[in-house]
């Protein structure tokens, strides 16, 4: 274990990446806990509203990302400054991506259905960084044997292929399959091969003159949604919190 730690983390200078990942995940989890406490009206936490202006936590997140990013550029990979900059960057990235949906929609959709995109982006980011950190990509690790170079090269090729299949799955109207398929083998392949969702760009382009395929896609989507809607919603509510009902106003007291 000590040999792996030195060869894959210390020697290639990946300790800052590890610190950034840990601080990123911690920042996201702590932020979600605090916002849910604020929403429930529990605990000592309150929204930041100087002069009546609601400051979202993406704002300090951007500041931390800038400080940590420039700090990492200006320091060596093995220095104390690099580790500190990585922690600041990870903390800021967690705050920023927790409100990714707000940036995407330019609207406060934190407790809405659209706000769940933030959780999906955070999970994907953490998974990809963990793969790089674990040495599954052949970058930054010195003195690889021939077998190691070959196996890691295959990983890169598989990752690129998986990413292409994920784009096809996204084209077929399966965003969750595309997101998790970029890092989990065979998930993207299944999404790319199966019928498209009836309301997807792929279906509109290729199923227009194929009524049987269109009907089969609609029937399959109906059965899939009926089977998985409830357990998926429970899991998402556990991670991200229960979204507000459609049409419910989102007052400042609900979150930070």
């Amino acid at each position: 274990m000590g040999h792996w730690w030195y060869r894959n983390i210390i020697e290639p200078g990946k300790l800052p990446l590890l610190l950034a990942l840990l601080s990123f995940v911690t920042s996201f989890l702590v932020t979600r806990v605090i916002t849910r406490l604020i929403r429930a009206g529990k605990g000592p936490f309150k929204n930041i509203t100087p002069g009546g202006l609601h400051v979202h936590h993406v704002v300090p997140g951007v500041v931390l990302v800038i400080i940590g990013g420039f700090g990492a550029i200006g320091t060596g990979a093995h220095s104390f400054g690099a580790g500190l900059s990585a922690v600041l960057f990870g903390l800021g990235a967690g705050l920023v991506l927790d409100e990714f949906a707000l940036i995407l929609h330019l609207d406060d959709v934190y407790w809405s259905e659209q706000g769940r995109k933030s959780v999906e982006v955070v999970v994907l980011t953490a998974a990809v960084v963990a793969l790089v950190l674990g040495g599954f990509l052949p970058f930054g690790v010195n003195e690889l044997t021939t077998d190691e170079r070959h196996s890691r090269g295959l990983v890169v090729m598989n990752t690129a292929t998986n990413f292409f299949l994920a784009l096809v799955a996204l084209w077929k109207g399966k965003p969750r399959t595309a997101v998790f398929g970029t890092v989990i083998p065979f998930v993207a392949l299944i999404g790319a091969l199966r019928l498209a969702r009836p309301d997807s760009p792929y279906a509109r382009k290729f199923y227009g003159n194929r009524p049987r395929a269109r009907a089969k896609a609609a029937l399959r989507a109906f059965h899939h949604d009926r089977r998985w809607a409830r357990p998926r919603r429970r899991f998402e509510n556990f991670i991200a919190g229960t979204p507000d009902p459609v049409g419910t106003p989102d007052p400042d007291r609900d979150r930070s």
Side-chain angles (χ1 to χ4, degrees):
M1 189 66 186
H3 175 70
W4 178 91
W5 172 261
Y6 176 81
R7 191 158 178 261
N8 290 272
I9 301 297
I10 301 299
E11 191 266 342
K14 288 186 177 181
L15 181 58
L17 184 62
L18 173 62
L19 295 175
L21 176 61
L22 293 177
S23 60
F24 169 74
V25 174
T26 301
S27 174
F28 169 74
L29 294 178
V30 171
T31 301
R32 279 283 162 173
V33 171
I34 292 176
T35 53
R36 294 176 74 166
L37 288 175
I38 294 175
R39 188 189 192 196
K42 300 178 180 179
F45 305 104
K46 302 293 181 181
N47 288 321
I48 302 175
T49 55
L53 175 65
H54 184 181
V55 180
H56 293 272
H57 52 264
V58 67
V59 177
V62 170
V63 174
L64 290 174
V65 165
I66 293 175
I67 295 175
F70 279 106
I73 294 173
T75 57
H78 298 272
S79 65
F80 172 79
L84 178 61
S85 298
V87 171
L88 294 177
F89 180 86
L91 292 174
L95 293 174
V96 171
L97 291 189
D98 185 56
E99 293 202 307
F100 172 81
L102 181 149
I103 301 172
L104 179 64
H105 294 277
L106 293 179
D107 192 14
D108 192 353
V109 294
Y110 194 85
W111 294 118
S112 68
E113 290 290 341
Q114 295 91 336
R116 297 175 185 271
K117 292 184 178 67
S118 298
V119 179
E120 295 175 352
V121 169
V122 167
V123 172
L124 175 63
T125 302
V128 172
V129 174
L131 286 175
V132 177
L133 184 65
F136 290 98
L137 294 178
F139 308 122
V141 179
N142 298 329
E143 299 179 2
L144 295 178
T145 66
T146 303
D147 291 339
E148 287 176 326
R149 290 184 185 278
H150 178 68
S151 62
R152 295 185 184 212
L154 288 178
V155 170
V156 174
M157 293 176 59
N158 290 338
T159 301
T161 303
N162 224 38
F163 183 74
F164 171 76
L165 295 174
L167 291 179
V168 176
L170 183 63
W171 190 21
K172 288 190 170 184
K174 306 170 184 178
R176 291 183 179 86
T177 301
V179 167
F180 293 105
T182 55
V183 292
I184 303 176
F186 302 112
V187 172
L189 176 63
I190 295 173
L193 293 179
R194 291 176 66 87
L195 284 171
R197 301 278 298 186
D199 55 348
S200 66
Y202 184 95
R204 290 194 294 268
K205 183 176 180 61
F206 293 104
Y207 296 168
N209 299 323
R210 299 171 58 192
R212 292 184 61 183
R214 190 166 59 249
K216 187 175 181 180
L219 182 62
R220 178 170 293 179
F222 170 77
H223 287 302
H224 177 274
D225 293 342
R226 186 175 64 175
R227 180 185 306 154
W228 295 106
R230 183 171 296 180
R232 183 177 66 235
R233 180 168 294 277
R234 287 177 179 173
F235 175 76
E236 291 176 344
N237 290 347
F238 174 75
I239 299 296
T242 305
D244 292 326
V246 177
T248 301
D250 187 20
D252 285 346
R253 67 178 176 81
D254 282 345
R255 56 179 298 273
S256 68

